[in-house]
Amino acid sequence: MTTNDTITATGRTTSNSRITSSSRITSSSRSASASRTSPTGGLAARGGGSAVPRTPAAARTYELDRRHVFHSWSAQERISPMVITRAEGSWVWDDYDHPLLDFSSQLVFTNLGHQHPRVVAAIQQQAATLCTVAPQHANAARGEAARLILSHLPDTFEKIFFTNGGADAVEHAIRMARLHTGRIKVLSAYRSYHGGTDLAINVTGDPRRWENDHGAAGVVHFFGPFLYRSPFHATDEAQERERALAHLEQVIALEGPGTIAAVVLESIPGTAGVMVPPAGYLRGVRELCDHHGLIMIVDEVMAGFGRAGRWFAFELDDVRPDLVTFAKGVTSGYVPLGGVAITGPVLRAFDDRAYPGGLTYSGHPLACAAAVATVRAMEDEGTVAAADRLGRDVLGPGLRGLAARHPVIGDVRGVGAFWALDLVEDRASRTPIAPTGGTSERMGRITAACRAEGLLPFVSSNRIHVVPPLNISDGDARAGLAMLDRALGAAEG
């Protein structure tokens, strides 16, 4: 799953960064520096004035951006992008040279943090050897990247088709399923995001689909499980699972199993709200797909590569999909790369039949070198286990502690380094403080207060997603939770 641009107090963030100076800020000095960040520094400047000027380089960057760059998902005259000038580890610096603790991992992709030396060095070394090559030729980085990715998937997966990112990975996975089955329809969940290209945005369920949906993409949406806002009036996880599966089974029956190529779903819906499905739900979807001869496509673009405390989040339910899409964390976002992992039965359809699809930059050497370095660093540094422990020992308990102190938090949910706070008008009604796909004055105050504290949040509708780098230190993670605590207090006080 790809995601929407992160809305912060200062507008939409960028993912550009430069190699930082050699000076490293410790956890304690970072926290102190961030806490001294003036609320009138970055924030007031975007409101029309500040006693603190932008650095000349940042001022030039901002000027060029506003004059020449067309931003995604945005009304162009209503945005004021924050300039990121440099980054290191879990921290970024803005156009006023203020440090910000990156609790967004940008768009949930800097799984190894910013400027990881092994990944940076691998890109540099690959550039010195072979910057680019056409995809019909074999190159060492691509082959090794495919081998490493497959080594962390079930042995039913045999090959990788590389794409430029998550949206085109979803596009190609659906194309493979349609060609393999000879059917057109695809089922996907309403609470989902699968990318911004034409088919991927139609498979998406959230409101960004509406203006792009002409009803001609062969997509049928269904309700997935979400106990906190259950469409099935369930009272516990087991009920939610069974009723969600019964609903999906009915949709399949009424649409006609013989017309459906695939079910596409995120292992953990990310941008839609970090909704970890009930135990057994993915296995139930697998059983329905097997019974009706449907391809099961699992979107791991956001949840994969350690974000959920597993290499791939579908492992949490011990299920084996037919196709898996990935992107984001595979390179920690340093160079764009995505892909489709393909199992044997789907693969056999193209043994003697040409696959009618491709991409100019499929398996680009610089991107694949970044993937090789990222996966090896994660293996050597125990990153996946660290993310699992971070969720159990730091983020989960810390966020539940915030909920005990702040009534605006209606629900805390997540796993690993993948969490969301659902903010509500009151806990009895569970009314969101901002509409789906939109924002509100109250949500804006909370986001601004986070920024004033020195925290860069990921905000979507009425939620704050807590999605820091997987290798964030416990000290920085706790500092970020303290910033969030103060921001909620200030905004709600």
Side-chain angles (χ1 to χ4, degrees):
M1 180 197 90
T2 55
T3 184
N4 63 318
D5 290 0
T6 306
I7 307 293
T8 70
T10 58
R12 298 184 184 271
T13 65
T14 70
S15 58
N16 298 326
S17 60
R18 302 174 186 171
I19 297 176
T20 66
S21 64
S22 58
S23 59
R24 181 174 294 274
I25 296 179
T26 65
S27 174
S28 58
S29 62
R30 278 171 171 159
S31 301
S33 177
S35 67
R36 290 197 302 269
T37 300
S38 169
T40 60
L43 293 175
R46 291 170 178 81
S50 171
V52 182
R54 283 190 175 98
T55 64
R60 176 63 171 163
T61 298
Y62 184 84
E63 175 192 356
L64 291 174
D65 183 279
R66 299 313 302 126
R67 184 178 298 175
H68 301 298
V69 176
F70 189 93
H71 282 253
S72 57
W73 308 116
S74 303
Q76 303 304 302
E77 294 302 315
R78 297 177 62 187
I79 59 172
S80 182
M82 180 172 67
V83 177
I84 301 293
T85 60
R86 57 194 175 100
E88 182 181 359
S90 299
W91 295 79
V92 299
W93 279 257
D94 71 5
D95 26 351
Y96 301 89
D97 207 32
H98 291 153
L100 295 164
L101 183 57
D102 189 359
F103 253 34
S104 69
S105 293
Q106 297 303 289
L107 292 181
V108 199
F109 56 64
T110 54
N111 288 12
L112 286 179
H114 296 272
Q115 303 303 125
H116 191 289
R118 287 180 62 173
V119 184
V120 171
I123 296 168
Q124 293 169 333
Q125 291 164 12
Q126 182 64 46
T129 303
L130 180 67
C131 274
T132 190
V133 65
Q136 67 265 31
H137 306 301
N139 74 80
R142 183 173 65 179
E144 181 63 5
R147 185 192 71 79
L148 283 170
I149 294 165
L150 288 167
S151 74
H152 292 289
L153 285 161
D155 58 11
T156 49
F157 290 88
E158 298 183 21
K159 290 192 177 182
I160 301 293
F161 176 76
F162 284 108
T163 66
N164 300 322
D168 47 357
V170 171
E171 295 261 349
H172 281 278
I174 293 172
R175 188 183 305 186
M176 291 175 187
R178 285 173 166 172
L179 290 166
H180 173 65
T181 62
R183 307 167 188 167
I184 296 298
K185 283 183 189 172
V186 175
L187 307 186
S188 65
Y190 276 109
R191 294 182 185 274
S192 68
Y193 184 74
H194 293 285
T197 53
D198 187 62
L199 178 55
I201 195 63
N202 277 271
V203 175
T204 289
D206 83 18
R208 283 165 295 176
R209 167 177 55 87
W210 298 346
E211 291 188 78
N212 296 286
D213 190 347
H214 304 290
V219 177
V220 176
H221 290 94
F222 62 89
F223 291 102
F226 182 23
L227 182 61
Y228 185 66
R229 302 188 184 281
S230 175
F232 309 112
H233 308 288
T235 57
D236 59 38
E237 293 282 346
Q239 276 189 356
E240 184 74 0
R241 177 192 66 231
E242 294 307 313
R243 294 177 184 184
L245 288 171
H247 162 69
L248 178 56
E249 185 171 29
Q250 187 174 44
V251 170
I252 292 170
L254 295 177
E255 287 295 331
T259 70
I260 301 168
V263 176
V264 183
L265 72 170
E266 298 167 85
S267 53
I268 299 175
T271 304
V274 191
M275 299 168 292
V276 181
Y281 177 73
L282 293 180
R283 291 197 302 275
V285 174
R286 172 77 272 178
E287 290 171 5
L288 288 173
C289 288
D290 288 343
H291 180 72
H292 294 291
L294 315 182
I295 297 299
M296 183 179 183
I297 302 173
V298 171
D299 184 333
E300 289 274 355
V301 170
M302 187 177 285
F305 290 93
R307 175 61 56 184
R310 302 291 188 276
W311 279 96
F312 294 95
F314 67 76
E315 297 171 32
L316 292 167
D317 211 19
D318 192 27
V319 68
R320 294 193 172 198
D322 298 300
L323 297 169
V324 169
T325 63
F326 62 86
K328 291 186 182 288
V330 67
T331 64
S332 210
Y334 289 21
V335 184
L337 184 69
V340 184
I342 313 166
T343 55
V346 178
L347 197 59
R348 298 289 84 78
F350 305 105
D351 281 349
D352 298 303
R353 171 192 185 186
Y355 174 63
L359 296 157
T360 298
Y361 303 115
S362 176
H364 194 283
L366 294 180
C368 288
V372 169
T374 296
V375 174
R376 287 178 175 167
M378 290 176 69
E379 291 172 342
D380 294 345
E381 297 170 14
T383 304
V384 176
D388 184 44
R389 184 202 60 79
L390 180 72
R392 285 185 287 102
D393 295 351
V394 181
L395 295 181
L399 292 170
R400 286 187 285 271
L402 293 185
R405 292 190 293 278
H406 300 284
V408 71
I409 300 174
D411 192 36
V412 175
R413 52 184 180 265
V415 64
F418 203 19
W419 293 81
L421 300 179
D422 205 308
L423 306 186
V424 296
E425 296 290 349
D426 64 84
R427 289 178 177 173
S429 70
R430 302 185 181 183
T431 303
I433 70 169
T436 300
T439 189
S440 67
E441 188 275 335
R442 189 177 182 187
M443 198 72 206
R445 286 201 315 270
I446 293 171
T447 309
C450 289
R451 174 68 175 83
E453 282 290 336
L455 185 69
L456 186 61
F458 185 110
V459 176
S460 182
S461 301
N462 69 309
R463 299 178 307 275
I464 295 176
H465 294 196
V466 176
V467 284
L470 312 187
N471 57 355
I472 189 172
S473 70
D474 286 3
D476 279 356
R478 291 192 172 99
L481 294 174
M483 293 177 194
L484 184 54
D485 190 8
R486 293 193 296 270
L488 289 169
E492 295 292 292

